[in-house]
Amino acid sequence: MSVKKLGLPLMIVSLAALLLLMMLFPGAYLESALRGLEIWWDVLFPSLFPFFIISEIMLGFGVVHLFGTLLDPLMKPLFRIPGSGGFVAAMGYVSGYPIGAKLTAKLWEQNMVTRDEGERLVAFTTSSDPIFLIGAVSVGFFHDPKMAVILAISHYGGGFLIGLLMRFHGSRHSLPAASGASGQSAQNVKNRRSRIRRAFAAMHHARMEDGRSLGEMMRQAVESSLRLIIVVGGLVVFFSVFLELLTQAGVMRSLYLVLEHLLRIGGFPPSLSEALVGGLFEVTLGARSAGEAAASIPLPFKAAAAAFILSWGGLSVHAQIASILHATNLRYLPFMFARLIHAVLAAALVLLLWNPVMGKLLPAPAFQPFVPDPGFAWAPGAFADRLAYFCLLIAFITAASLLWTVARSIWRRLHAER
């Protein structure tokens, strides 16, 4: 019997086993479901829902076309994706998962990206948001704001490297065409001067093509965002229950033992097995376990485990991404392999850059561990912080794109004069 034919029986058996565990452990099942619902309502809903609506409205106004024209000279040569991918990257890195996948799916619906480009884009724009990385992981779990530096460098730097690696994914026909004619240099200079004008013209054309009124656009944005946030909440509750039932049944302990053996072979502290197994399913649980692991574990290994978990994303996030990609022809497997490579790269970057970045380790701070309230990171100022991060990222990417255009034009002119 083929693997494909075995899929349905295995699914039925797994669901039946899950139902049996729910009946055997009703108290744990209810408590974990309420805990997942609390996480969704207190953290995910207020942090993601506004950005879902904002991204929908910006798409309707043609802002993506504006940034697409401005950022095309940078995104095409580096990542083999259209310039609109710069907007998706900025929104994804500021808002966290699954904003990058949602915007990529929208670009695919509007025929702004092909399947290969969409798979490249979603692979490196899915990341943790900076507020969670700084507030929850660094301050809340590790009790040291300085940890944000090494975690951010490894996590976002690893994402950039994934973007460079993913440019080799897919067919080769979309590689940027090489140009070398001397007459083309003058045309490039002219195009560079009129790029901003063409960007605003592209935004206006996209707005006219959309044709919806502001009220209709707002209504549809709220409706689609509500549908997506409910799917996200359902998946969070499901995986919260799933993980708790596996723990009650003793399955998680078996996974801990297997991973402990593998970590020992690789020369890593076996005590990190609980954090890594928890992070396999859910980011918050794994990152908390990494930060609160035994004091005997060297801090760089704890940070590497946290970076691995943040970059992998957890099966809960993977399920959210898969549900979004299901409405498109974008495949899940390239995304999964990219997450795994990103996780390994992020952990390796922590270990490689620990001494240059963190310097000599300081004594542990002498204060009581801080356990954050589930909604602490989503105070009113957090939304403004995210908007500020987004504006800074867009400004940086736009400036880099213009500098890249100028440098490429000068290089072509010098090459033509030889």
Side-chain angles (χ1 to χ4, degrees):
M1 185 178 288
S2 65
V3 176
K4 189 174 182 180
K5 290 181 179 179
L6 282 173
L8 183 59
L10 287 175
M11 177 75 70
I12 295 173
V13 171
S14 301
L15 291 177
L18 191 61
L19 286 173
L20 179 61
L21 290 175
M22 289 167 63
M23 291 186 288
L24 290 175
F25 306 104
Y29 150 64
L30 181 60
E31 184 180 350
S32 60
L34 291 174
R35 186 167 59 248
L37 187 63
E38 183 182 5
I39 292 172
W40 175 71
W41 180 253
D42 290 341
V43 178
L44 297 179
F45 191 95
S47 65
L48 292 179
F49 187 65
F51 277 91
F52 284 165
I53 296 177
I54 289 173
S55 61
E56 288 276 352
I57 294 175
M58 294 180 86
L59 283 166
F61 273 112
V63 175
V64 176
H65 295 73
L66 168 72
F67 288 113
T69 306
L70 287 174
L71 305 180
D72 196 64
L74 179 67
M75 305 304 289
K76 272 275 177 67
L78 287 180
F79 307 114
R80 288 180 64 204
I81 57 175
S84 54
F87 173 81
V88 177
M91 286 290 287
Y93 276 61
V94 167
S95 307
Y97 11 69
I99 291 285
K102 177 184 180 293
L103 290 177
T104 302
K106 286 292 181 182
L107 295 186
W108 179 87
E109 290 175 4
Q110 298 181 6
N111 296 320
M112 294 180 66
V113 293
T114 63
R115 186 177 76 168
D116 288 341
E117 290 170 343
E119 289 171 355
R120 295 183 203 119
L121 185 56
V122 75
F124 88 99
T125 58
T126 301
S127 70
S128 170
D129 65 272
I131 292 178
F132 177 76
L133 187 148
I134 297 170
V137 180
S138 302
V139 177
F141 302 153
F142 281 89
H143 319 302
D144 185 1
K146 295 178 182 178
M147 292 295 298
V149 178
I150 189 66
L151 290 177
I153 290 175
S154 61
H155 181 61
Y156 299 118
F160 179 80
L161 293 177
I162 287 297
L164 296 178
L165 290 174
M166 286 298 291
R167 78 183 309 277
F168 301 105
H169 166 72
S171 58
R172 311 300 301 170
H173 68 273
S174 58
L175 278 171
S179 57
S182 58
Q184 205 167 358
S185 278
Q187 184 65 31
N188 288 332
V189 174
K190 181 180 178 181
N191 288 342
R192 187 180 74 249
R193 290 172 179 170
S194 63
R195 185 172 299 280
I196 296 178
R197 188 184 307 132
R198 288 188 291 113
F200 279 99
M203 183 179 74
H204 176 72
H205 180 71
R207 178 71 187 103
M208 293 297 101
E209 288 234 333
D210 185 276
R212 292 176 294 171
S213 64
L214 180 60
E216 180 69 11
M217 194 185 305
M218 179 71 73
R219 182 185 66 81
Q220 292 183 4
V222 171
E223 287 180 355
S224 63
S225 299
L226 271 175
R227 285 195 297 269
L228 181 56
I229 199 66
I230 288 172
V231 171
V232 170
L235 290 169
V236 168
V237 172
F238 172 79
F239 274 95
S240 178
V241 171
F242 181 71
L243 190 57
E244 180 63 26
L245 291 177
L246 289 183
T247 302
Q248 293 292 329
V251 176
M252 298 299 292
R253 184 56 193 161
S254 301
L255 293 177
Y256 296 156
L257 292 174
V258 172
L259 191 55
E260 282 177 9
H261 182 66
L262 295 176
L263 288 173
R264 192 175 287 109
I265 293 175
F268 295 96
S271 305
L272 288 174
S273 60
E274 184 175 349
L276 294 175
V277 171
L280 173 67
F281 293 94
E282 213 282 315
V283 176
T284 306
L285 178 64
R288 176 178 296 172
S289 297
E292 298 174 356
S296 59
I297 301 176
L299 191 56
F301 287 107
K302 291 184 182 181
F308 183 96
I309 292 163
L310 288 170
S311 303
W312 165 250
L315 292 180
S316 176
V317 170
H318 282 240
Q320 297 170 29
I321 303 298
S323 67
I324 295 172
L325 299 184
H326 181 70
T328 70
N329 70 345
L330 306 183
R331 296 166 295 185
Y332 165 73
L333 279 181
F335 168 80
M336 186 191 73
F337 286 123
R339 290 299 89 217
L340 183 59
I341 297 172
H342 186 187
V344 174
L345 281 176
L349 285 173
V350 169
L351 298 176
L352 288 172
L353 301 177
W354 182 267
N355 287 333
V357 174
M358 302 299 288
K360 186 178 180 181
L361 292 180
L362 298 175
F367 57 83
Q368 293 297 321
F370 166 68
V371 179
D373 182 79
F376 83 100
W378 319 118
F383 185 75
D385 290 341
R386 290 190 176 204
L387 288 179
Y389 291 145
F390 171 71
C391 293
L392 287 173
L393 273 175
I394 285 293
F396 173 78
I397 297 174
T398 304
S401 178
L402 293 175
L403 287 174
W404 180 278
T405 305
V406 172
R408 189 170 58 175
S409 176
I410 293 173
W411 171 260
R412 287 174 177 170
R413 185 179 299 176
L414 291 174
H415 184 71
E417 290 175 355
R418 290 180 179 176

